[in-house]
């Protein structure tokens, strides 16, 4: 390179003669040039035009400085080019060493002042001409002679790219790891050449070579992009274990999230990449992103991994269904889809998302922000698909049988949100978590609405058809079985009612009455009982059921049968409560004691209406006159007893008491009242009847016969 100087005022021409190049941020220079004094910093620049004579020594110093710097560049370039072309090695490895040295020299010169090569004549005595061309000089470019081996290196790299491209599929890549590393190293050197020589692109002597470098690099990047895609798609051949996992039997009702120990057993079943593949992906991603191909790299990653997730969802039985499609489906079809959704959601939250995050961090280990962004976007796509199903379900028509599936979904969302808390950075968590919380809230609101509608269902059951035999009413069976099953979700329901108490009050049509009565009722029963919103709602349902059954009991003509009906239903309700710890805890001991007391009262009413009248036939009123038995009265009493007992036996044998303990208690209590009274009456007055035909006519039953007939009561069989 030549250094142009002027004999005129050198400080005035300095800006047009010297180009300060910027330091490339992608390369760290191995050494910095020794600092040299700049005459512009001597404090004399303001007096140059007024008194140029004292500055003669300063001009000489500046000239010497410029000449030294230009000479240093020339010397370094001459050292590389001094070898004749036939001595340059023709292997990629040897040429790479020369390229490294060349890059080192270019890096060491960054930040130093290089001399602009100008085209045209520069007059030494025409100051005005120089001033006019000062702006033109600023547009001139740096020129240098690029060594021959650079082009040779590019040819070798191009041949290597063609060699790798010539084999379809993964082909040559991965067969010899050392060759792959050499390929990436070569591409990295091309990248550095692209950045280092970009400033010489406007130089007519070097523009062709600079463009050649760009073409080789673009082709290499295109190949790496294809290899990156092929390596990512390799999960298909390494993921057979996951297919077996998906074939396991699905739970139809409750889906409990796996314990942490269970998650360990499924380690490495999802991504399916070997350590070597992950290492290759990491190297390719690093090279592409560093070389300015970040968008291409990220796009390939997101598309491929999303396809992997879609296949995984399909493998677990979850189909992509839009919100509109969900609302149009019959509940029976939706009900069969919910278990698959639950399994998919919990597995994604506890297993697959965590593994995907580790995989993204491994592939983009040098770019944590990119890793986090890609993972967040990928998860968002999957979550939208899963939460759309939740949204559609929450908008379906309310019905009692949907409650338990809704609670299953609520538990899945609740537990999954907790499991995913540590997966996302703060900014991503603020994006994903509100969406999941909203979905959980809507499912919870729907569950509360359904449960509170149980009140309306009980009140609307106003049928006037009696249950034959005074058996347990279907409404009592349905309600108690529903509550028993619901209380298996006791913890969840307590949480739902506490978190959505306002929604609960708004959804129940009987809520104003309930709000005014609940606290009074519970304080009268037991001030120390559970006062949670769900327990209060449960007690409310029990009271409504009791009131409804009492109204239905009045539909029976016989008061005794009405009492049997209430005893049957009351005992059934108590047995269900005692068999369900959750319900018992919710309603409390005081409520159960009150219910037991009601049963005893119904029992007394039954005995009074049935057996009290029968025992009236055995009374002594009018039977004795002056100490003597009046036989016609005695005969009438025996006759009435027989007729009444026959009717009771015939009628009440068809009545139903399904609870064996209650049935036994009734029979024992009847026998304890009737048999002793009959035996006493018979023993005292039977001898007053003439033996033979008259005796058999009026004394139809012996005490043993009475006991046998009593044991036939309440078995639901009609007697002639």
């Amino acid at each position: 390179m030549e250094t142009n100087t002027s004999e005129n005022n050198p400080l005035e021409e300095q800006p047009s003669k010297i180009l300060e190049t910027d330091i490339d941020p992608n390369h760290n220079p191995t050494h910095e040039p020794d600092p040299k004094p700049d005459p512009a910093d001597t404090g004399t620049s303001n007096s140059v035009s007024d008194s140029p004579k004292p500055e003669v020594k300063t001009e000489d110093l500046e000239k010497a400085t410029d000449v030294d710097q230009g000479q240093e560049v020339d010397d370094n370039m001459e050292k590389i080019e001094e070898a004749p072309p036939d001595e340059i090695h023709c292997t990629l490895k040897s040429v790479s060493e020369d390229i490294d040295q060349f890059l080192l020299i270019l890096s060491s010169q960054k930040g130093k002042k290089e001399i602009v090569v100008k085209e045209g004549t520069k007059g030494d005595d025409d100051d005005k001409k120089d001033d006019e061309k000062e702006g033109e000089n600023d547009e001139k470019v740096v020129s240098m002679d690029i060594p021959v081996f650079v082009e040779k290196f590019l040819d070798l790299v191009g041949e290597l790219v063609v060699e790798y491209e010539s084999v379809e599929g993964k082909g040559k890549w991965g067969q010899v790891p050392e060759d792959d590393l050499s390929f990436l190293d070569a591409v990295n050197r091309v990248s550095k050449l692209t950045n280092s020589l970009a400033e010489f692109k406007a130089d007519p002597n070097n523009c062709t070579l600079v463009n050649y470098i760009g073409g080789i690099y673009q082709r290499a990047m295109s190949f790496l992009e294809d290899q990156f895609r092929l390596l990512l798609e390799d999960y298909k051949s390494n993921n057979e274990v996951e297919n077996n996992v998906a074939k396991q039997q699905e739970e139809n009702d409750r889906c409990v999230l796996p314990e942490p120990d269970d998650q360990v057993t499924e380690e490495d079943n999802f991504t399916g990449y070997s350590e070597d593949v992950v290492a290759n992906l990491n190297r390719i991603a690093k090279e592409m992103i560093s070389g300015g191909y970040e968008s291409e790299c990220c796009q390939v990653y997101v598309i491929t991994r999303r396809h992997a997730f879609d296949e995984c969802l399909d493998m677990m039985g979850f189909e992509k269904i839009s919100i509109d499609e969900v609302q149009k489906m019959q509940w029976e079809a939706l009900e069969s889809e919910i278990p698959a959704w639950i399994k998919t959601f919990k597995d994604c939250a506890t297993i697959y998302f965590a593994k995907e995050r580790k995989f993204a961090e491994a592939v983009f280990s040098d770019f944590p922000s990119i890793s986090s962004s890609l993972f967040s976007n990928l998860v968002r796509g999957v979550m939208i698909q899963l939460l759309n199903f939740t949204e559609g379900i929450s908008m379906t028509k309310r019905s009692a049988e949907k409650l338990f599936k809704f609670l299953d979904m609520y538990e899945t969302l609740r537990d999954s949100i907790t499991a995913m808390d540590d997966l996302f950075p703060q900014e991503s968590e603020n994006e994903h978590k509100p969406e999941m919380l909203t979905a959980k809230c809507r499912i919870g609101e729907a569950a509360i609405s359904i449960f509170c509608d149980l009140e309306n269902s009980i009140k609307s059951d106003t049928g006037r058809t009696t249950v034959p035999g005074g058996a347990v009413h279907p409404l009592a069976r349905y309600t108690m079985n529903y509550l028993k099953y619901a209380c298996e979700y006791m913890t969840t329901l307590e949480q739902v009612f506490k978190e959505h108490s306002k929604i609960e009050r708004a959804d129940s049509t009987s809520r104003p009455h309930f709000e005014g009565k609940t606290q009074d009722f519970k304080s009268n029963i037991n001030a120390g009982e559970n006062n949670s919103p769900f327990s209060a709602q449960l007690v409310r349902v029990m009271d409504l059921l009791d009131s409804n059954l009492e109204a239905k009991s009045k539909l029976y003509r016989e008061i005794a049968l009405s009492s049997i009906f209430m005893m049957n239903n009351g005992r059934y309700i108590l047995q269900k409560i005692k068999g369900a710890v959750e319900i018992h805890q919710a309603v409390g001991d005081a409520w159960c004691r009150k219910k037991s007391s009601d049963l005893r009262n119904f029992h007394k009413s039954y005995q009074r209406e049935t057996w009290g009248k029968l025992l009236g036939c055995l009374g002594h009123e009018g039977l004795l006159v002056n100490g003597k038995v009046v036989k016609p009265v005695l005969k009438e009493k025996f006759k009435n007893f027989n007729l009444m007992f026959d009717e009771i036996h015939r009628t009440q044998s068809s009545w139903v008491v399904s609870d064996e303990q209650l049935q036994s208690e009734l029979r024992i209590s009847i026998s304890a009242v009737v048999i002793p009274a009959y035996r006493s009456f018979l023993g005292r007055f039977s001898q007053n009847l003439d033996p033979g035909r008259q005796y058999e006519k009026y004394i139809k039953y012996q005490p043993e016969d009475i006991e046998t007939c009593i044991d036939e009561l309440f078995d639901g069989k009609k007697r002639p």
Side-chain angles (χ1 to χ4, degrees), residues 148 182 187 200 259 303 674:
V148 177
S182 298
V187 174
F200 301 107
E259 298 294 330
I303 292 175
V674 175

Side-chain angles (χ1 to χ4, degrees), residues 80-99:
I80 298 175
E81 294 180 334
E82 61 186 2
D86 58 350
E87 295 183 8
I88 297 179
H89 300 290
C90 294
T91 64
L92 182 62
K93 182 178 180 180
S94 60
V95 177
S96 296
E97 295 175 357
D98 295 333
I99 292 295

Side-chain angles (χ1 to χ4, degrees), residues 421-436:
D421 278 345
D422 297 331
L423 283 179
F424 302 101
Q426 186 63 39
E427 58 274 11
S428 298
E429 180 181 355
N430 293 336
E431 178 182 358
H432 295 293
K433 195 169 184 178
E435 295 178 353
M436 290 186 286

Side-chain angles (χ1 to χ4, degrees), residues 154 190-191 193-195 201 207-221 293:
L154 295 174
V190 176
S191 174
L193 285 172
T194 302
N195 295 326
K201 186 174 183 179
C207 66
T208 302
L209 183 60
V210 172
N211 290 333
Y212 183 40
I213 296 173
I216 292 293
Y217 188 61
Q218 184 175 1
R219 187 168 182 176
M221 285 292 106
Y293 285 77

Side-chain angles (χ1 to χ4, degrees), residues 33 115 133 169 185 205 273 344 352-353 391 396 461 557 629:
I115 305 303
K133 291 186 177 182
D185 289 340
N205 298 326
Y273 298 101
T344 302
Y352 300 132
F353 286 164
E391 178 78 9
T396 57
D461 191 332
R557 295 179 180 179
V629 176

